[in-house]
Amino acid sequence: MQKKLLYAVLVSLVSCTSNTVKTKKDTITNNAQFDAFKNRFVSALWKANPQWATSQGFHDYDSVLIIPNVTSRVADLAFNNSYLDSLNQLDINQLDQNNATDFALIQNQLKQSVWSITEYKAHEWNPSNYNIGGTVAEILNNKNAALTMKVANVNGLLRNINNYYNAAKQNITTPTLEHTDLAIQQLQGTVSYLETSAKDSIIAVKGNLLILKNALDATNNFIDFLQGKKTEMQKNNVAFKNFRIGKDLFFAKFKYEIQAQSTAEQIYKRALKRKEELNTEMATLAAHWWKNKNAKVPLPANKKEMVREAIATISKTHVSRQNFQTEIEREIPLLTAFVKQKNLIYMDPAKPLVVRKEPEWMAGVAGASISAPGPYDKNGNTYYNVGSLAAYSPEEAESYLREYNQYTLQILNIHEAIPGHYAQLVYANQSPSIIKAILGNGAMIEGWAVYTERMMMEEGWAKNTVINGTVQEDEMWLMYYKWHLRVVCNTILDYNTHVNNWTKAQALNLLMNEAYQEKAEAEGKWRRATLTQVQLCSYFTGYSEIYDLRQTLKTKQQANFNLKEFHEKLLSFGSAPIKFIAPIMSK
Ligand code: ZN
Ligand code: ZN
């Protein structure tokens, strides 16, 4: 039902400029009113959600801790319903494009919050919701405040920590085993963070350590509570709540979180079809590669074996662990040059990407990620964080380096940096809307990064891959398809786990036998599927909708279609859902 409501909003949004006769004065009045409304809304949102505010770089409420009890949930519901009422009094038909999409994003956010509290109810079953470690770190890592001030805010935040964890204990009536284990693990991380970095900060300003000691005791006490609850439930044979949220909640979460033109079921069916296409393509490529580059080795009779062995052989071409970061630094300018030469998108040279070793407070897992400046620090640096491989055993390092071999490392750089996440973030930061920054759509953000992988391949990136004097086009395409297959299987796994009650064995069979993943990678992905819902669908959904939009416009505009203009126009909307962008761009 609510999906229909949103579509109704969307249709009126799209038709407003063509069908409705309106005076200029009306529009300005209403847009000005809406701007004022947005300012009030954002101020109130931060006041009501101080920890969220802190995470976005808005530090006015750093010292406020909301106790997660019934009273605060009732207040939260009242907040959402009252702003939904206010929205209902505004006429979306009178708003310009930017404001009309902001209207729809705010409405979706408010409805999602109501749904979370009344239907999804993670406060009852996900103990990892209760952890102040991240907020303390966000406060202390704020570059724009003096340490004395930050320590004072941390003290304020931790003052009521006992009430906070006591409320959490009351809430957790039906925990899942998986989220209980996750909570224990993450809370232990918080304990060690409070004992080291946070403690050092307080000592540095000669602050009072008593509140910190109390916070450590409260956190350890909450860990004991979770461990005790787990032991007691196991002893008495009380079943944990199933981590699978089931069809109804999954479909609803998909609607609110992904905000796609398609339903969860449509995307799932599309992923199944794409998997078959990719398997066919990969078999063709592997056979071609075998004939040309691997002819001395007997060809396996089974097609899947042939693909698997081709991937295993090609994956052996990788950099050494010492050269991992250097190789990323070497590739970034090559990607920038290619994007420029092929006229794919304008990249502002004044906003360079800084490649750095992953900072210690992020460390733990090797890998790569982008740290973008938040909406309140738009001119801050964008960092490409490269995880250290130093702690790995030789075997672990070898496995990791085969996964991120000379070919997939290029796809990773396209995805994370150029023209993927980094380029999208530079454009999103130019969007004037704070709403699109704080309510940014994950499917748009991930979809863009996944789309650019395919776009770069289509534009001829594989021909650039020359290793030991030979062009490695087949290798590059095969590894790209393997990488892309992972995205496709993320959707299939997520959907089947939560909607079709898949077991771990079924999941590992998909990932290892049909997507050529190593056991460690597949196990990690299964764990993620047990702990999250819908997020694993965001990559393929966003990618599919961007790709569709491009193909539609190509067909419609024929010779007038310009790829660079398409990319720049698409990104100019900020991180808005494609379902809002597509109707405007298709007009
Ligand atoms: Zn090796
Ligand atoms: Zn990504």
Side-chain angles (χ1 to χ4, degrees):
M1 275 317 284
Q2 270 159 344
K3 176 116 203 161
K4 281 208 183 89
L5 249 176
L6 261 180
Y7 268 118
V9 168
L10 188 65
V11 168
S12 55
L13 174 172
V14 172
S15 57
C16 68
T17 37
S18 47
N19 296 347
T20 316
V21 183
K22 59 190 175 194
T23 65
K24 204 174 179 194
K25 188 165 167 288
D26 271 355
T27 309
I28 291 167
T29 311
N30 279 283
N31 279 306
Q33 280 169 351
F34 190 68
D35 284 339
F37 169 84
K38 284 196 289 187
N39 285 333
R40 286 200 306 278
F41 169 71
V42 172
S43 301
L45 186 71
W46 292 154
K47 196 169 181 202
N49 300 277
Q51 288 186 266
W52 185 7
T54 301
S55 75
Q56 294 291 305
F58 185 84
H59 291 284
D60 284 16
Y61 302 110
D62 278 3
S63 66
V64 182
L65 182 66
I66 302 275
I67 306 304
N69 53 18
V70 182
T71 314
S72 67
R73 282 193 291 280
V74 169
D76 204 1
L77 276 178
F79 173 91
N80 292 305
N81 286 322
S82 111
Y83 273 94
L84 278 169
D85 283 348
S86 306
L87 277 185
N88 286 338
Q89 284 154 30
L90 290 160
D91 183 2
I92 193 173
N93 295 311
Q94 299 295 322
L95 300 177
D96 63 27
Q97 277 174 6
N98 179 44
N99 275 336
T101 47
D102 281 357
F103 180 107
L105 281 170
I106 295 172
Q107 192 176 51
N108 183 70
Q109 168 63 32
L110 295 168
K111 286 182 179 173
Q112 181 175 10
S113 290
V114 172
W115 171 82
S116 279
I117 298 167
T118 57
E119 308 280 331
Y120 183 62
K121 296 181 184 169
H123 57 272
E124 293 177 356
W125 53 263
N126 184 356
S128 76
N129 275 3
Y130 310 103
N131 189 336
I132 38 75
T135 305
V136 174
E138 295 274 6
I139 296 172
L140 292 175
N141 291 331
N142 176 14
K143 291 186 296 290
N144 303 315
L147 189 58
T148 338
M149 178 72 183
K150 295 192 284 190
V151 167
N153 282 335
V154 168
N155 274 341
L157 180 83
L158 297 179
R159 196 162 288 137
N160 282 323
I161 194 80
N162 292 0
N163 292 340
Y164 174 89
Y165 283 126
N166 284 338
K169 290 178 193 172
Q170 298 282 317
N171 290 343
I172 303 164
T173 47
T174 51
T176 78
L177 179 59
E178 292 73 13
H179 294 93
T180 304
D181 285 339
L182 175 71
I184 292 170
Q185 187 190 6
Q186 292 183 336
L187 286 159
Q188 282 163 345
T190 291
V191 166
S192 101
Y193 174 76
L194 292 179
E195 273 171 345
T196 53
S197 303
K199 191 176 175 185
D200 292 346
S201 298
I202 296 174
I203 291 171
V205 296
K206 300 190 172 67
N208 187 341
L209 286 168
L210 276 179
I211 289 179
L212 183 79
K213 185 179 177 304
N214 178 59
L216 276 166
D217 289 347
T219 310
N220 278 317
N221 177 281
F222 185 54
I223 295 173
D224 290 346
F225 164 83
L226 292 174
Q227 254 152 359
K229 184 151 186 118
K230 186 179 148 184
T231 313
E232 189 195 302
M233 284 174 76
Q234 282 167 336
K235 203 177 84 191
N236 298 328
N237 272 325
V238 180
F240 288 91
K241 185 182 170 69
N242 189 342
F243 67 83
R244 299 168 184 87
I245 62 172
K247 186 177 170 185
D248 291 349
L249 288 178
F250 191 88
F251 281 26
K253 197 170 190 225
F254 185 93
K255 179 185 69 180
Y256 290 126
E257 207 167 296
I258 306 290
Q259 301 188 65
Q261 289 161 302
S262 319
T263 63
E265 196 173 17
Q266 285 166 337
I267 284 296
Y268 167 65
K269 287 188 173 148
R270 187 166 174 168
L272 288 178
K273 188 167 159 268
R274 184 76 179 137
K275 176 164 77 79
E276 294 317 309
E277 288 166 10
L278 289 173
N279 278 324
T280 308
E281 280 292 323
M282 287 170 83
T284 310
L285 273 167
H288 191 255
W289 172 83
W290 210 289
K291 203 173 88 201
N292 291 306
K293 302 253 179 100
N294 205 35
K296 283 180 204 146
V297 181
L299 188 72
N302 177 306
K303 264 190 186 175
K304 280 213 164 109
E305 274 316 303
M306 174 186 67
V307 174
R308 181 182 308 284
E309 281 188 40
I311 286 171
T313 307
I314 293 168
S315 299
K316 287 179 192 160
T317 304
H318 60 74
V319 294
S320 67
R321 71 161 107 183
Q322 294 82 359
N323 289 339
F324 194 68
Q325 183 173 335
T326 324
E327 178 61 16
I328 290 177
E329 283 164 348
R330 187 187 72 84
E331 283 178 18
I332 300 296
L334 300 178
L335 288 166
T336 308
F338 184 83
V339 165
K340 200 169 174 186
Q341 178 214 332
K342 296 276 178 176
N343 222 9
L344 301 178
I345 186 170
Y346 172 75
M347 302 278 297
D348 185 351
K351 306 246 176 206
L353 177 66
V354 184
V355 183
R356 70 174 175 188
K357 187 173 160 290
E358 193 172 66
E360 266 166 18
W361 47 271
M362 294 178 75
V365 263
S369 64
I370 288 281
S371 287
Y376 294 97
D377 184 25
K378 284 187 174 186
N379 294 319
N381 280 332
T382 302
Y383 294 101
Y384 191 161
N385 311 303
V386 182
S388 167
L389 280 65
Y392 279 14
S393 71
E395 293 76 24
E396 286 167 337
E398 176 65 19
S399 162
Y400 184 82
L401 291 164
R402 284 189 186 191
E403 188 65 42
Y404 293 95
N405 56 56
Q406 282 282 20
Y407 310 94
T408 45
L409 190 54
Q410 298 180 48
I411 310 287
L412 177 74
N413 289 329
I414 290 171
H415 179 105
E416 297 292 340
I418 292 162
H421 286 318
Y422 160 68
Q424 196 262 332
L425 286 160
V426 171
Y427 276 82
N429 264 345
Q430 287 161 2
S431 161
S433 162
I434 184 98
I435 297 297
K436 289 183 188 70
I438 60 181
L439 302 180
N441 177 249
M444 159 66 188
I445 294 167
E446 287 305 341
W448 168 261
V450 174
Y451 160 79
T452 61
E453 297 163 7
R454 177 164 181 182
M455 185 272 291
M456 290 288 276
M457 293 298 289
E458 288 175 343
E459 293 302 312
W461 178 255
K463 290 192 188 74
N464 271 16
T465 309
V466 179
I467 293 171
N468 299 329
T470 46
V471 178
Q472 312 263 307
E473 206 177 347
D474 280 350
E475 291 88 340
M476 191 67 214
W477 270 105
L478 189 59
M479 295 312 290
Y480 162 70
Y481 279 135
K482 186 208 170 203
W483 181 281
H484 186 55
L485 186 56
R486 183 165 82 175
V487 162
V488 172
C489 286
N490 282 348
T491 295
I492 299 173
L493 171 68
D494 196 13
Y495 189 94
N496 277 323
T497 301
H498 290 282
V499 177
N500 293 330
N501 222 12
W502 259 22
T503 62
K504 182 176 179 181
Q506 287 173 298
L508 294 189
N509 178 52
L510 169 79
L511 301 176
M512 293 171 70
N513 296 332
E514 296 189 61
Y516 310 102
Q517 295 181 11
E518 295 298 321
K519 188 147 199 265
E521 194 193 347
E523 298 245 10
K525 194 52 67 68
W526 166 249
R527 180 162 189 256
R528 199 167 144 193
T530 66
L531 295 172
T532 68
Q533 319 88 24
V534 164
Q535 200 273 335
L536 281 170
C537 292
S538 63
Y539 305 80
F540 183 67
T541 309
Y543 148 85
S544 299
E545 299 205 331
I546 293 172
Y547 201 83
D548 282 358
L549 174 61
R550 190 189 82 180
Q551 297 313 91
T552 305
L553 292 180
K554 260 188 171 173
T555 311
K556 197 170 154 189
Q557 298 170 359
Q558 298 288 325
N560 290 327
F561 179 84
N562 180 303
L563 191 59
K564 181 168 181 277
E565 279 171 21
F566 168 74
H567 291 151
E568 291 168 2
K569 178 83 184 159
L570 182 77
L571 297 192
S572 74
F573 291 92
S575 307
I578 302 298
K579 79 167 172 187
F580 299 148
I581 301 173
I584 297 169
M585 283 184 74
S586 310
K587 250 193 313 213

